[in-house]
């Protein structure tokens, strides 16, 4: 498979934050690919580096952080170190981002149509006003907003939280990007609204062939939406593979622990599996494997950082002691 | 897989703070990150030191008529006193050593500024807490009074009050208090309203703690940060206001000259080349106010709850 | 069935935004500005049996937090009664009321705002028992140490301040604070929502352990149905201030009756579900300022009939231990 078949290929990305308290290695050697029309779930808890990965791809990492090494290949072109002008051409145009708080996208003092038309014109000044408004109306309809004409004339504060997020998604879609990076977009929304947005997102990707990276801590959301999953811990990807494969047969002890911690149908009345201890601070990552302090299988071998290995077909992990026996139960 | 205990191991991110870090220690380490503000703090401490110990460290008591001679008047910086020591900053129109006069002047300016600030703070904070705690018409009434108070220019109000009250240190302090209390009231009320909605206050209510305890032990200490910032900046403002009033001649009486009066006295000589008589007191005032403002700005940044966790 | 430890009867809380002087004048002059009333909790009746865990579920604006706060004594009801151990709170004298207040405690959602940042942990935990004379100051240190161990905190850290702890630990401090006054009834208001998944499982296990060890009764408020399914015996579903369904957990999840419950259950992403193949429920949650007449849910209900628009459905017992507020049940 040539590089051009992937919309996005990330190779050994490292983003470090140089703070007065030390160097926080937020992203420390992350590699993955996202194909055309594919949805990738980037899963991790707080401090795992998943959001910073998203920001690094689109070039929104501010000092004291910077991308120290690695490559982000978009259709073969490396985005790391790309001059600002070229990056701005791509951002909002070919690569778009949706944030957890829609007010990070929406300007509270501008009307929705003004903001949306601005997004279109910024990347293609030849578009006429009427054509731009038509595209905006279409985009709002595409995300399921009723009565788009009236909605266009409103201000963000006149929308509910769920609606605002939909407008933010519509803005991301306006220029028909090849890749959308969504950073916890439904975390702050109600269950029924989340359901609506997930449904729209799935429809979108299958209809338009847009690739998506969905960053979240919620494994269940990713289970329904994504084609492949990357599990992050301590700034590194500890396991990645096809979604059903990883969720049904997790190999890395952290993934297994995480899956065991989630309550659901089968856990009623039983103790949940708990991963002991807490996530390490990114300023103070241990030597070798980041998970060893909490891993029931850790030993001296874990003091050397595990290389990416592929013990099972289609799966990549960083682990010295993966669970390779398929009959092992996930719960404690 | 063995059963996991609920006991957690010492968590990774408590270790870097190996010992207890009180909020004060944390505040101090945050404050001193800004070198300029740290410098300003030391300058301010120096100024306060001078103000307190003025009689002990001044070369001359400028109000002791026996050591002052009109023959020494208007002498430039560096010239000699008849007793042999140097007038480092020159002398003023009456022959007083300017350095000593500035030391004593700082004492008065700072003293008046701080005393009036403290009284205004106590009165304003009490009124603000009452407004926040009782709400409804009490709050509305108090806040309208505060609004009216704040809509008048401070100098105008101070001038009118002093015209009515006359001269004297106590009259100045009263005028400054009346002009300042409203800022404190508004700040404390806003802060108290924010804290009131916070969950730890709800928790205290849930635990059936007495109302008074909740107000003073829980709510008030957390209202302090913005109050400290306002107090610092207001003190600078009060000092500046007092200097203005003295400069205009309605402030302190001549027997207790503040920096404003010194500047005023030297004003007549500005154009005749004897600039130092106004200039040095002016610089002293400037340094005082600027250092207070720098300290206040850093305090505002450090104590900003949004930058805290 | 054990007798009710706590029950609420027709409990209602209205938030009224009164007109100020300017508003009163405006309305007299004919403007249509009027007092805004939010019926946050609208005639709720529930029984919570001794030793049970009742899950209270709903989305934004349903009133579950307001209901929790009324039960915990933080908010005063507009009308209705709260009956604790057989005695109505309004009938109690000051002493009995204080004792009841101490026995009903609350665990809050936000681990950052729920602890006084200027108090040491041992004071946060030890203050209330000391003030209420449950312990002497000599006993405080020992007492606090025991409680900290019970919730899984190292007593070594009792002289520290909240900002030196992580979110999960702060939540444990909040639990310790509640346990210090020897409660019998705990209201958990989204107590784990702000925590990472792996920490959530630790705290859920802690709740279950404490329930057994200390014979506690819980009202567990959450929007997370998976957690509610795991921990509750009985589930109450609320929508816009009203109860729409009450059932034993197994019954509810196997066979939801009310259309809203069905929509809610349909919408939960599940780990074992790949691809989103349902139609999510339409529409937004209406504003509590202007709820739809009759049954609040009718605009979004796929089975709405005319009666639903006009008449508020009563909560009726449709089977043993099952109640539902839906006109469709009357058709049978």
């Amino acid at each position: 498979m040539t590089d051009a078949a992937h919309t996005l290929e990330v190779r050994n990305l490292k983003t470090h934050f140089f703070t007065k308290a030390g160097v926080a290695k937020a992203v420390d050697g992350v590699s993955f690919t996202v194909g055309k029309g594919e949805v990738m779930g980037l899963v991790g808890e707080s401090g795992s580096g998943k959001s910073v990965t998203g920001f690094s791809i689109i070039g929104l990492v501010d000092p004291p952080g910077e991308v120290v090494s690695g490559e982000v290949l978009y259709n073969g072109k490396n985005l790391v170190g790309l001059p600002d002008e070229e990056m701005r051409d791509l951002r909002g145009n070919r690569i778009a981002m949706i944030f957890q708080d829609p007010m990070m996208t929406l300007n509270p003092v501008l009307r929705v149509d003004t903001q949306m038309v601005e997004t279109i014109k910024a990347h293609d000044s030849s578009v006429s006003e009427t054509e731009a408004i038509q595209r905006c109306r279409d985009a709002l309809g595409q995300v399921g907003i009723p009565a788009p004409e009236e909605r266009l004339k409103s201000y963000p504060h006149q929308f509910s939280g769920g609606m605002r997020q939909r407008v933010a998604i519509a803005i991301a879609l306006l220029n028909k990007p090849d890749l959308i990076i969504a950073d916890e977009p439904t975390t702050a929304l109600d269950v029924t609204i989340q359901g609506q947005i997930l449904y729209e997102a799935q429809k979108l990707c299958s209809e338009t062939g847009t690739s998506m990276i969905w960053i979240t801590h919620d494994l269940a959301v990713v289970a329904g939406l994504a084609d492949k999953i990357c599990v992050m811990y301590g700034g590194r990807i500890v396991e990645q593979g096809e979604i059903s494969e990883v969720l049904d047969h997790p190999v890395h002890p952290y993934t297994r622990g995480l899956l065991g911690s989630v309550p659901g149908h089968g856990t009623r009345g039983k103790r949940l599996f708990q991963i002991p201890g807490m996530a390490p601070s990114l300023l103070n990552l241990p030597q070798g494997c980041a998970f060893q302090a909490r891993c029931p299988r850790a030993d001296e071998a874990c003091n050397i950082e595990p290389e990416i290995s592929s013990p099972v077909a289609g799966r990549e992990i960083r682990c010295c002691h993966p669970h390779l026996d398929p009959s092992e139960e996930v719960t404690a | 897989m063995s059963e996991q205990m609920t006991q957690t191991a010492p968590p990774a991110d408590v270790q870097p703070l190996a010992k207890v870090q009180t909020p004060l220690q944390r505040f101090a380490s945050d404050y001193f990150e800004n070198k300029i503000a740290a410098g300003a703090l030391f300058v301010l401490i120096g100024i306060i030191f001078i103000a307190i110990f003025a009689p002990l460290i001044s070369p001359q008591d400028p109000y002791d008529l026996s050591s002052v001679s009109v023959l020494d008047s208007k002498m430039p910086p560096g010239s000699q006193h008849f007793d042999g020591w140097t007038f480092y900053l020159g002398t003023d129109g009456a022959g007083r050593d300017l350095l000593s006069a500035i030391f004593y002047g700082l004492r008065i300016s700072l003293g008046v500024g701080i005393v009036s600030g403290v009284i205004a703070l106590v009165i304003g904070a009490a009124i603000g807490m009452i407004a926040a705690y009782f709400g409804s018409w009490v709050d509305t009434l108090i806040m309208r009074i505060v609004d009216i108070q704040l809509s008048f220019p401070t100098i105008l109000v101070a001038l009118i009050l002093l015209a009515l009250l006359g001269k004297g240190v106590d009259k100045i302090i009263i005028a400054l208090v009346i002009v300042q209390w409203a800022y404190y009231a508004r700040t404390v009320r806003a802060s108290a309203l924010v804290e009131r909605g916070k969950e730890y206050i709800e928790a205290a209510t849930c635990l059936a703690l007495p109302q008074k305890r909740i107000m003073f032990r829980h709510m008030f200490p957390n209202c302090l940060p913005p109050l400290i910032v306002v107090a610092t900046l207001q003190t600078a403002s009060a000092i500046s206001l007092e200097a203005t009033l003295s400069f205009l001649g309605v402030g302190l009486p001549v027997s207790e000259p503040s920096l404003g009066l010194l500047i005023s006295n030297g004003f007549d000589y500005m154009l005749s080349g004897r600039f130092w008589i106004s200039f040095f007191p002016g610089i002293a005032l400037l340094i005082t106010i600027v250092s207070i403002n720098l300290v206040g700005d850093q305090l505002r940044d450090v104590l900003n709850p949004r930058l805290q966790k | 069935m054990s007798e009710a430890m706590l029950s609420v009867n027709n409990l209602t809380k209205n938030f009224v935004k009164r007109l100020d002087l300017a508003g009163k004048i405006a309305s007299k002059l004919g403007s249509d500005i009027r007092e805004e009333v939010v019926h946050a909790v609208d005639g709720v009746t529930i029984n919570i049996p001794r030793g049970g865990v009742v899950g209270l579920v709903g989305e934004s604006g349903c009133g579950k937090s307001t209901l929790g706060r009324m039960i915990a004594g933080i908010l005063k009801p507009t009308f209705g009664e709260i009956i604790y151990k057989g005695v109505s709170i309004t009938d109690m004298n000051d002493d009995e009321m204080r004792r009841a207040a101490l026995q009903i405690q609350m665990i809050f959602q936000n681990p950052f705002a729920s602890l006084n940042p200027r108090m040491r942990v041992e004071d946060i935990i030890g203050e209330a028992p000391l003030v209420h004379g449950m312990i002497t100051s000599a006993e405080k240190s020992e007492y606090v140490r025991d409680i900290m161990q019970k919730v899984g905190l190292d007593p070594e850290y009792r002289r520290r301040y909240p900002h030196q702890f992580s979110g999960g630990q702060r939540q444990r401090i909040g639990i310790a604070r509640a346990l210090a006054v020897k409660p019998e009834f705990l209201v958990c208001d989204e107590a784990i929502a702000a925590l990472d998944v792996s920490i959530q499982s630790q705290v859920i296990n802690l709740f279950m352990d404490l329930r057994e060890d200390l014979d506690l009764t819980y009202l567990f408020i959450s929007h997370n149905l998976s957690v509610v399914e795991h921990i509750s015996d009985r589930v109450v579903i609320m929508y816009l201030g009203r109860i729409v369904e009450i059932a034993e957990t197994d019954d509810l999840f196997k066979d939801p009756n009310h259309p809203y419950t069905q929509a809610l259950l349909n919408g939960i992403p599940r780990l074992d579900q790949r691809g989103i193949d349902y139609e999510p429920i339409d529409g937004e949650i209406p504003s509590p300022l202007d709820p739809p007449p009759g049954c609040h849910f009718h605009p979004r209900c796929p089975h709405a009939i005319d009666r639903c628009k006009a008449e508020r459905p009563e909560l009726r017992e449709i089977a043993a231990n099952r109640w539902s507020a839906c006109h469709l049940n009357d058709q049978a």
Side-chain angles (χ1 to χ4, degrees), chain A residues 170-224:
Chain A
I171 292 180
L173 291 176
L174 275 175
N175 292 318
K176 307 212 191 316
D178 298 322
L179 173 69
I180 297 182
I181 303 175
D183 186 8
E184 307 251 28
T186 56
T187 303
L189 301 175
D190 286 312
V191 175
T192 50
I193 310 297
Q194 175 176 274
Q196 293 170 347
I197 291 191
L198 289 175
Y199 181 73
E200 303 288 348
Q202 183 179 57
K203 210 165 54 133
L204 206 79
C205 287
S206 57
E207 280 173 6
T208 62
T210 311
S211 312
M212 183 139 56
I213 299 179
W214 192 280
I215 302 174
T216 180
H217 64 274
D218 191 339
L219 282 162
V221 164
V222 157

Side-chain angles (χ1 to χ4, degrees), chain C residues 180-202:
Chain C
V181 292
K182 300 210 201 305
E184 298 186 21
F185 187 93
L186 282 185
V187 179
C188 303
D189 184 11
E190 302 270 19
I192 57 169
L195 305 174
D196 275 328
V197 173
S198 57
I199 310 293
Q200 283 190 12
S201 66
Q202 292 177 5

Side-chain angles (χ1 to χ4, degrees), chain A residues 137-188:
Chain A
R137 221 178 294 139
D138 291 341
L140 287 184
Q142 214 174 357
V143 293
I145 293 183
E149 286 84 20
E150 295 163 35
R151 293 299 191 168
L152 276 174
K153 298 199 175 58
S154 321
Y155 286 88
H157 68 263
Q158 295 172 293
F159 291 85
S160 70
M163 280 289 179
R164 277 185 221 161
Q165 193 64 298
R166 282 190 229 226
V167 173
I169 296 174
I171 292 180
L173 291 176
L174 275 175
N175 292 318
K176 307 212 191 316
D178 298 322
L179 173 69
I180 297 182
I181 303 175
D183 186 8
E184 307 251 28
T186 56
T187 303

Side-chain angles (χ1 to χ4, degrees), chain B residues 6 8 10-11 14 17-23 26 199-200 202-203 206-208 213 218 221-222 225 309, chain C residues 69 102 105 108 110 113-114 116-120 127 131-132 152 157 159-161 163-164 169-170 177 209:
Chain B
T6 51
T8 47
V14 181
L17 299 162
K19 47 185 180 48
V20 178
Q21 188 194 48
T22 61
R26 183 193 190 200
E199 291 173 347
Y200 70 87
E202 288 184 317
C206 195
L207 289 164
R213 194 185 174 97
H218 289 265
N222 287 293
K309 267 212 298 183
Chain C
R69 278 169 167 72
L102 288 179
Q105 284 302 312
F108 297 86
N110 187 338
S114 61
N116 187 335
R118 291 177 191 284
M119 282 174 80
R120 292 179 202 265
E127 182 187 19
V131 165
H132 291 290
Y157 299 142
R159 304 232 352 119
R160 302 215 179 162
Y161 288 83
H163 71 266
Q164 296 178 274
Q169 290 169 309
R170 281 187 230 203
R177 174 178 58 191
D209 291 339

